[in-house]
């Protein structure tokens, strides 16, 4: 029977019997990819459902490829498909980064031609086509939106925090043009008060010393931090006198004569050799006291920069809480000094402070800023679920896997486990 068979009165009479359905949840997938530590994060109606780095599935350390497996896991955890996504957020704006690369290479030509051709091949084949790459990686047409790199860091630091308002400090190598920013968050708002631009970068300074002491850039920075306690900061004042012009508010400029990352294929220049009593250590060769002292010196300077920036952020915002993100926020020794010596009462640090956390940040930023949805901070915790956002396995699954591997194992109750105090 067609609708035309009903009179107006009949339709009104039937209306009260129509069952109202709840609106479907809005799902946003955040993606970081193509640089290092690619990751995916699914946010459903403002709640972080799942988040994981691609390396956890691919077993390739610092995997930079599109996070196909991590995205698949996030969707499975929510019980949805790609077609259920409201949109996909990408954690930075590639066109701004491309602009920086072009300006930098043109400004250093012809010296930077080798680096120019090396980077352009990647950009022209992949990084300029992020929407297409995302759709290809997910196997479906989706709407792709972009957030700025340091905005994604700031969002990942503030939105999951337990604070209704907080100062925010983001510090890394570089994202688009920005290397450091500070500002504040309040409710759903994010505000930037000051920035430092490329090529002046605390993250790249630390990476340069990682390279100079023989470790792998964008991978071995934790080794430099771990090496520091074995040395004396005998070169710290030399770094401040010759390499880093540091202001009282934590702003700084680097003496680019000592670096090669702007136009070359290495992090440091030969000028470093004379300043630090010899050439860079070759990878995998024995460590000497010199490398330990260089590590201690770089760490001390880094901590001093962070403390000055934190004090400036406190003066400017007047807030008692501080949130941190960006690769430099993975420096736990520096974070310890901020906790002990900065004027802030409380710190909250994004567990995935590096680029992986950008997937979390862009998804939350879209929810709160693009879709203008409210935020409710939990003063007794955070919305990262203790960072337990990756795959979980039941006891029977673990037992079954161990059996397939013929691995010797025993199941112990809680009262049978050794407890370390």
């Amino acid at each position: 029977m067609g609708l035309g068979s009903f009179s107006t009165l009949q339709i009104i009479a039937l209306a009260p019997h129509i069952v109202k359905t709840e609106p479907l949840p809005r799902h946003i997938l955040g993606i970081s990819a193509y640089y290092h530590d690619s990751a995916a994060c699914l946010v459903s109606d403002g709640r972080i459902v799942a988040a994981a780095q691609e390396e956890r599935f691919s077993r390739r350390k610092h995997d930079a490829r599109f996070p196909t497996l991590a995205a698949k896991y996030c969707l499975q955890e929510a019980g949805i498909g790609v077609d259920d996504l409201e949109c996909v957020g990408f954690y930075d704006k590639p066109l701004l980064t491309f602009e920086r690369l072009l300006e930098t290479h043109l400004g250093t030509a012809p010296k930077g031609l080798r680096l120019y051709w090396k980077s352009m091949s990647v950009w022209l084949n992949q990084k300029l086509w992020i929407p297409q790459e995302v759709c290809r990686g997910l196997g479906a047409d989706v709407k792709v939106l972009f957030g700025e790199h340091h905005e994604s860091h700031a969002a990942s630091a503030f939105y999951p925090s337990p604070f209704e308002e907080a100062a925010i400090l983001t510090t890394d190598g570089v994202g688009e043009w920005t290397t450091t920013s500070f500002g504040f968050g309040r409710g759903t708002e994010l505000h930037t008060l000051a920035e430092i631009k490329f090529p002046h970068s605390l993250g790249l300074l630390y990476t340069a010393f990682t390279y100079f002491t023989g470790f792998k850039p964008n991978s071995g920075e934790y080794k430099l931090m771990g090496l520091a306690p074995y040395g004396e900061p005998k070169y710290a004042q030399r770094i401040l006198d010759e390499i880093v012009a540091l202001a009282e508010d934590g702003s700084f400029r680097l003496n680019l004569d000592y670096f090669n990352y702007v136009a070359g294929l290495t992090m440091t220049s030969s000028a470093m050799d004379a300043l630090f009593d010899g050439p860079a250590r070759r990878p995998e060769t024995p460590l000497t006291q010199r490398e330990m002292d260089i590590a201690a010196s770089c760490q001390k300077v880094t901590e001093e920069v962070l403390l000055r920036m934190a004090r400036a952020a406190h003066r400017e915002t007047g807030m008692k809480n501080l949130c941190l993100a960006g690769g430099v926020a993975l420096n736990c020794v520096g974070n310890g000094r901020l906790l002990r010596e900065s004027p802030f009462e409380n710190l909250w640090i994004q567990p995935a402070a590096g680029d992986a956390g950008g997937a979390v940040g862009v998804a939350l930023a879209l929810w709160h800023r693009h879709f203008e949805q409210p935020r409710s901070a939990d003063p007794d915790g955070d919305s990262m679920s203790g960072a337990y956002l990756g795959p979980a396995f039941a006891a029977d699954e673990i037992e079954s896997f161990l059996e397939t591997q013929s691995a010797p194992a025993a199941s112990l109750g809680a009262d049978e486990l050794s407890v370390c105090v």
Side-chain angles (χ1 to χ4, degrees):
M1 183 182 293
L3 182 60
S5 302
F6 288 98
S7 68
T8 304
L9 289 176
Q10 287 174 314
I11 293 174
I12 293 174
L14 288 171
H17 299 284
I18 297 175
V19 178
K20 291 185 177 180
T21 58
E22 292 294 323
L24 294 173
R26 183 176 288 168
H27 305 290
I28 302 169
L29 185 68
I31 294 289
S32 67
Y34 303 128
Y35 295 92
H36 47 84
D37 299 319
S38 68
C41 172
L42 185 72
V43 168
S44 297
D45 282 349
R47 181 176 68 90
I48 302 173
V49 175
Q53 287 186 224
E54 186 70 2
E55 70 171 30
R56 299 299 183 179
F57 304 90
S58 68
R59 316 308 297 168
R60 180 187 291 190
K61 193 65 175 172
H62 301 300
D63 198 338
R65 297 172 297 176
F66 185 85
T68 304
L69 300 173
K72 181 181 179 182
Y73 156 71
C74 289
L75 296 175
Q76 287 177 340
E77 190 71 6
I80 64 172
V82 178
D83 293 338
D84 297 310
L85 294 174
E86 181 81 15
C87 64
V88 174
F90 193 75
Y91 81 126
D92 74 358
K93 295 187 174 180
L95 290 180
L96 290 179
T97 303
F98 188 63
E99 174 191 77
R100 170 175 61 81
L101 291 172
L102 286 178
E103 287 194 24
T104 301
H105 291 316
L106 290 173
T108 57
K111 183 180 178 181
L113 281 178
R114 286 184 64 197
L115 181 59
Y116 172 78
W117 289 117
K118 183 178 179 180
S119 61
M120 284 304 104
S121 63
V122 178
W123 276 89
L124 295 175
N125 287 308
Q126 184 184 67
K127 292 182 180 180
L128 282 178
W129 317 103
I130 295 300
Q132 294 87 338
E133 290 290 316
V134 171
C135 292
R136 185 182 300 114
L138 294 176
D141 288 333
V142 291
K143 180 167 68 174
V144 181
L145 301 175
F146 296 83
E148 289 190 2
H149 189 100
H150 276 256
E151 178 190 41
S152 295
H153 276 319
S156 78
F158 175 65
Y159 287 139
S161 78
F163 309 134
E164 180 59 33
E165 65 174 24
I168 307 169
L169 177 61
T170 67
T171 313
D172 64 6
V174 60
E176 292 111 14
W177 281 98
T178 304
T179 66
T180 296
S181 73
F182 84 78
F184 67 93
R186 178 181 289 126
T188 62
E189 300 174 10
L190 293 176
H191 299 277
T192 300
L193 299 178
E195 294 181 329
I196 296 174
K197 302 288 189 179
F198 181 85
H200 307 286
S201 166
L202 185 60
L204 291 177
L205 173 73
Y206 208 89
T207 295
F209 279 103
T210 299
Y211 168 86
F212 193 78
T213 50
F215 303 120
K216 185 177 180 181
N218 295 321
S219 175
E221 283 76 8
Y222 74 97
K223 295 181 181 180
L224 186 72
M225 183 179 67
L227 189 63
Y230 296 94
E232 296 294 330
K234 58 183 290 186
Y235 299 108
Q237 192 58 50
R238 197 175 301 182
I239 294 172
L240 291 171
D241 289 341
E242 301 293 336
I243 298 179
V244 182
L246 178 60
E248 188 59 37
D249 64 358
S251 60
F252 59 88
R253 292 182 65 82
L254 301 182
N255 183 345
L256 298 178
D257 290 343
Y258 291 95
F259 303 97
N260 198 35
Y261 59 77
V262 175
L265 299 176
T266 59
M267 289 299 300
T268 61
S269 73
S270 58
M272 278 277 201
D273 302 356
L275 194 63
F276 294 105
D277 306 323
R281 168 182 168 256
R282 288 185 292 110
E284 307 304 326
T285 59
L287 286 162
T288 69
Q289 190 62 46
R290 184 188 73 132
E291 283 79 52
M292 299 175 194
D293 293 340
I294 290 173
S297 303
C298 177
Q299 180 66 29
K300 182 176 181 179
V301 170
T302 300
E303 291 171 14
E304 182 61 31
V305 176
L306 289 172
L307 279 167
R308 293 192 188 189
M309 288 194 294
R311 292 175 188 135
H314 186 265
R315 285 195 301 270
E316 291 295 323
T317 65
M319 295 178 177
K320 65 179 183 179
N321 306 313
L322 176 64
C323 295
L324 300 171
V328 178
L330 293 171
N331 192 304
C332 55
V333 180
N335 294 343
R337 287 198 65 189
L338 289 177
L339 184 62
R340 295 188 302 272
E341 300 176 37
S342 83
F344 288 100
E345 297 178 21
N346 306 299
L347 262 65
W348 193 87
I349 303 160
Q350 166 55 238
D355 276 8
V360 176
V362 70
L364 290 173
L366 285 172
W367 175 252
H368 292 302
R369 305 190 75 185
H370 182 75
F371 294 112
E372 300 181 332
Q373 297 299 310
R375 170 181 177 263
S376 179
D378 180 2
D380 297 320
D382 59 47
S383 61
M384 287 290 291
S385 302
Y388 296 126
L389 295 164
F393 302 95
D396 58 343
E397 292 178 284
I398 296 171
E399 184 178 5
S400 176
F401 173 79
L402 291 172
E403 288 177 354
T404 63
Q405 302 299 310
S406 299
S411 178
L412 301 178
D415 57 341
E416 299 175 276
L417 296 173
S418 298
V419 178
C420 297
V421 179

